[in-house]
Amino acid sequence: MGATLLRAGIGCIATLAMGLVVDAHEAHAQIAVFKSMEKSDSALARWLSDITLVGQIEGGIMANPARPQPGYNFGDFFADHANQVQLNQAEFTLQKAIDPSRGGYQVGFTLEGMYGSDARYYQILGVSAHEWNARYQLIPAQAHADVHLPWATKGGLDMHAGILQAPMGVETLDPTTRPFYTIAYTSEYSVPFQHIGAMFNWHVTDMLDVTFGIDTGNQTSFGKSDNNNAPAGYFGFNLNNLAHGKLNIIELSRVGPENSRYSSAGGRYEADHAERFWNDINATYAVTDRLTLTGEFNYIHDQGLNGIRPNGNFKAADAESFVSFLSYKINKVLTFNYRGEIYRDNNNLMVATFIGNNSYMDGISGRASPGSTVMPGPTGHGTTYGEMTLGVTYKPDLGHHVRVFMLRPEIRFDRSLNGTTPFNGGRNNGMFTFGGDAVIGF
């Protein structure tokens, strides 16, 4: 059975990849929409000449020989449907990028639309959530104005305001920026995803950047589309080009109420006052031109996730985790990748699998829909999850105006390290999956 699934998985990925390669010959890399205006006498026309359009498609499969019921890989968002090929993302981005290194006043923007199964987890209440009932959904993944202000220091200040992808953590929504098809528990349960708000990056020195911002909350908007009446915000720093340019460190913290007034045991008061504290620090070190190491530590604490005690004090839930990454470039087209993670869910309130296309956003809003189902983790005092993923990235230069092409097979081992049985429909304390994805972009 395992061999059959392996052949099926490889066959599906190869078929998808070949189809993408055939289409790639008709693609064009990073279209400059108004390129002909770059020598115009009009300042507006020259500004328009730098606007670019890019597109990208990703699809994949993660096979599970245990054939879990009801058919989900527990604790996996992007590849949650076991033994099924899915279109994860089809996205287009129209952008006028700002470049802090150029100095001076700059104004730009980013507009990104995305369709696919990944969009189920990146909706925003009041913007796109609950507009779709299918597995494949449509979202405005980004829609923000970008400004560079040459103020205070040589590097100046960058501002991004609008619909923003959350900046915390190592792994992102864009598959070309992360080493694997699947993502870590930390990236799913301990960092936010989307915001409406403003983020600022102050380039204090060549070595130090300071980050801060404010927003309505994780995946919420305004008024009745906010799950509580309090904002949240970021603060942190980047240390760049340490150890002769080999080491970079990013620390980012976030605080604000995130629980819904519709589901909190303490109602509106708890939702507005029980703070959630998110903390993430990661460091990347280039050992050699081929070998890169990354370590990430995360701690999340929610004062009110489990309700209010009889004495009026908030209960609390929290989790801490450590993720390590290794990347070794075998040659110019092939890279070996490793990820290892320990994730401690102290109250069994963080890790769950969302069965139902809108059940994740139902959890954010606090209003469960009739078709919403959540498969929770184990009961009891907590679970320690271990996860190891091995894979390779095949990234040749296809030419023919193809911006990026990637094939990423991987194998993944998940295990409860303290004897609970969260996997494969609650039957096992471990889970083995294998598969991968294909990505192509112009």
Side-chain angles (χ1 to χ4, degrees):
M1 180 175 64
T4 301
L5 284 171
L6 177 60
R7 288 193 295 270
I10 293 174
C12 289
I13 294 172
T15 301
L16 174 63
M18 289 303 296
L20 293 175
V21 171
V22 170
D23 292 340
H25 291 276
E26 303 301 323
H28 299 279
Q30 189 170 296
I31 300 170
V33 183
F34 303 106
K35 181 70 172 178
S36 60
M37 297 183 177
E38 64 181 347
K39 296 182 179 180
S40 172
D41 294 333
S42 166
L44 175 60
R46 292 194 300 273
W47 183 85
L48 291 171
S49 69
D50 290 333
I51 294 175
T52 59
L53 175 67
V54 297
Q56 189 167 281
I57 299 174
E58 179 204 16
I61 181 175
M62 284 301 284
N64 186 333
R67 296 182 179 271
Q69 294 300 324
Y72 282 76
N73 293 324
F74 181 81
D76 196 338
F77 280 10
F78 293 165
D80 53 357
H81 285 65
N83 308 314
Q84 294 185 34
V85 176
Q86 58 187 7
L87 171 67
N88 290 89
Q89 301 180 15
E91 65 89 18
F92 290 89
T93 302
L94 188 69
Q95 184 178 50
K96 163 73 175 181
I98 61 173
D99 181 2
S101 66
R102 287 169 46 192
Y105 289 93
Q106 300 176 50
V107 178
F109 67 88
T110 301
L111 298 174
E112 179 184 359
M114 177 181 293
Y115 174 80
S117 60
D118 291 355
R120 293 167 297 159
Y121 297 101
Y122 281 76
Q123 303 281 1
I124 295 180
L125 297 176
V127 176
S128 56
H130 301 106
E131 297 295 326
W132 302 78
N133 294 317
R135 189 199 305 187
Y136 296 159
Q137 301 186 6
L138 181 67
I139 60 169
Q142 297 185 78
H144 50 85
D146 309 315
V147 178
H148 177 74
L149 304 169
W151 293 354
T153 62
K154 180 181 177 181
L157 180 72
D158 299 334
M159 181 187 75
H160 312 274
I163 297 176
L164 306 166
Q165 291 183 9
M168 182 177 287
V170 172
E171 296 173 310
T172 72
L173 178 60
D174 183 352
T176 64
T177 66
R178 60 180 196 261
F180 297 103
Y181 176 36
T182 63
I183 58 177
Y185 292 93
T186 301
S187 304
E188 294 172 330
Y189 301 105
S190 291
V191 299
F193 284 174
Q194 294 276 90
H195 303 301
I196 293 181
M199 289 293 299
F200 299 85
N201 297 291
W202 179 28
H203 306 287
V204 181
T205 69
D206 291 340
M207 186 175 293
L208 174 65
D209 296 334
V210 174
T211 301
F212 54 97
I214 188 169
D215 56 72
T216 59
N218 180 42
Q219 298 179 261
T220 64
S221 53
F222 300 96
K224 293 182 179 180
S225 297
D226 195 354
N227 57 10
N228 56 61
N229 291 328
Y234 284 96
F235 53 93
F237 61 86
N238 291 19
L239 296 176
N240 311 305
N241 300 314
L242 304 177
H244 305 288
K246 293 186 175 184
L247 176 64
N248 293 293
I249 299 174
I250 301 173
E251 192 283 331
L252 202 56
S253 296
R254 173 178 171 82
V255 62
E258 296 288 358
N259 299 312
S260 171
R261 59 182 176 269
Y262 303 111
S263 59
S264 296
R268 182 182 296 273
Y269 180 82
E270 179 192 39
D272 292 346
H273 293 85
E275 305 284 351
R276 183 176 300 179
F277 301 89
W278 325 60
N279 302 277
D280 190 276
I281 185 168
N282 61 80
T284 299
Y285 183 71
V287 181
T288 67
D289 292 340
R290 294 191 174 193
L291 177 62
T292 302
L293 303 177
T294 300
E296 177 181 16
F297 175 76
N298 185 286
Y299 176 68
I300 182 171
H301 176 84
D302 192 298
Q303 289 180 329
L305 190 59
N306 202 24
I308 294 181
R309 299 179 186 274
N311 62 6
N313 294 328
F314 297 132
K315 290 185 178 180
D318 53 24
E320 56 269 354
S321 60
F322 178 75
V323 195
S324 59
F325 299 85
L326 179 150
S327 175
Y328 183 77
K329 189 172 183 179
I330 299 170
N331 54 44
K332 66 179 182 179
V333 300
L334 195 64
T335 302
F336 169 78
N337 295 302
Y338 156 88
R339 179 181 63 215
E341 179 182 24
I342 300 293
Y343 187 96
R344 173 64 183 180
D345 184 353
N346 287 308
N347 312 85
N348 284 326
L349 291 171
M350 295 293 182
V351 179
T353 288
F354 299 90
I355 302 174
N357 296 319
N358 292 324
S359 58
Y360 177 80
M361 290 309 301
D362 289 338
I364 297 290
S365 69
R367 292 172 163 175
S369 66
S372 175
T373 306
V374 176
M375 185 165 62
T379 59
H381 296 293
T383 297
T384 302
Y385 295 89
E387 172 260 318
M388 182 176 70
T389 306
L390 304 173
V392 294
T393 299
Y394 175 62
K395 189 177 179 181
D397 183 0
L398 297 182
H400 301 281
H401 307 290
V402 177
R403 177 175 57 86
V404 60
F405 175 74
M406 302 168 64
L407 291 176
R408 298 190 299 185
E410 69 174 71
I411 57 174
R412 174 168 171 156
F413 304 88
D414 293 80
R415 188 175 181 86
S416 166
L417 302 179
N418 63 326
T420 59
T421 58
F423 301 106
N424 301 325
R427 304 195 313 263
N428 304 117
N429 66 351
M431 180 175 69
F432 168 67
T433 54
F434 59 94
D437 66 345
V439 182
I440 191 168
F442 65 83

